[in-house]
Amino acid sequence: IEQDSNGGNRILVTSEDGKVSTYYMHLDSFADINQGDYVKEGTIIGYIGGSGAGIQDKSSPHLHYEVIIDGVHVNPVIGDNILLDPQKIDAP
């Protein structure tokens, strides 16, 4: 859970083995979670907003989603309206 000049309010979720991470950026606020908490599928981690450049509501609400595999940022778009599912990388 952090604030960044580009990604605004963002959360990084990392697999237990550290191989796969996902960033969820430009959030309005965070859910009631703390660093180190176990996050299972369906857990609310935050609420979509328009944060950015350290300014709340800098833009209209939207979500940026970023995937990191073995320390390498990868484009999560794999087709028209199809995003990479990081759970399938971590545990097929």
Side-chain angles (χ1 to χ4, degrees):
I1 298 174
E2 56 190 47
Q3 187 173 59
D4 165 271
S5 62
N6 293 319
N9 297 326
R10 64 186 188 167
I11 291 179
L12 177 68
V13 177
T14 303
S15 62
E16 289 184 79
D17 65 4
K19 178 181 176 176
V20 180
S21 297
T22 53
Y23 263 120
Y24 301 87
M25 298 174 279
H26 300 292
L27 301 172
D28 178 56
S29 59
F30 304 111
D32 188 21
I33 59 173
N34 297 296
Q35 185 170 342
D37 284 356
Y38 180 78
V39 176
K40 65 181 182 176
E41 186 173 356
T43 300
I44 295 173
I45 58 174
Y47 303 92
I48 294 175
S51 65
I55 302 168
Q56 192 68 11
D57 298 323
K58 178 170 173 61
S59 60
S60 60
H62 66 287
L63 178 71
H64 285 204
Y65 170 72
E66 188 174 296
V67 177
I68 305 162
I69 302 171
D70 290 327
V72 177
H73 293 256
V74 299
N75 185 348
V77 178
I78 56 176
D80 290 343
N81 298 313
I82 302 171
L83 293 176
L84 177 66
D85 182 348
Q87 290 182 355
K88 296 203 182 333
I89 298 165
D90 191 37

